[in-house]
């Protein structure tokens, strides 16, 4: 099950959109900001229905 979530880059402050795969359970991964290209650490907590996304700079 895919969901989309808007987030703000912790480096440049620009808004972007993440595509979340809720079928994979809790996840932690790194993707580059589509604007400033710096690495963002995403933490997704989900039970497959409800979910919470946290976005941090690489060193937080």
């Amino acid at each position: 099950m895919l969901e989309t979530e808007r987030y703000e880059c912790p480096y440049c402050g620009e808004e972007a959109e993440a595509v979340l795969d809720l079928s994979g359970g809790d996840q932690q991964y790194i993707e580059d900001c589509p604007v400033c290209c710096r690495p963002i650490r995403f933490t997704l907590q989900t039970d497959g229905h409800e979910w919470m996304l946290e976005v941090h700079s690489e060193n937080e």
Side-chain angles (χ1 to χ4, degrees), residues 2-33:
L2 298 178
E3 291 282 343
T4 57
E5 174 73 4
R6 298 200 68 74
Y7 67 91
E8 187 175 291
C9 174
Y11 300 102
C12 68
E14 290 294 321
E15 195 169 283
E17 190 170 84
V19 177
L20 311 174
D21 181 1
L22 302 183
S23 66
D26 292 348
Q27 303 168 42
Q28 194 169 48
Y29 57 95
I30 294 177
E31 286 187 13
D32 291 341
C33 172

Side-chain angles (χ1 to χ4, degrees), residues 30-51:
I30 294 177
E31 286 187 13
D32 291 341
C33 172
V35 177
C36 72
C37 300
R38 296 188 67 187
I40 302 170
R41 184 169 43 94
F42 292 87
T43 302
L44 173 64
Q45 295 177 334
T46 182
D47 62 5
H49 302 286
E50 306 257 337
W51 49 272

Side-chain angles (χ1 to χ4, degrees), residues 10-11 28 39-43 54-60:
Y11 300 102
Q28 194 169 48
I40 302 170
R41 184 169 43 94
F42 292 87
T43 302
E54 293 180 5
V55 179
H56 301 281
S57 64
E58 186 178 36
N59 297 325
E60 274 186 71

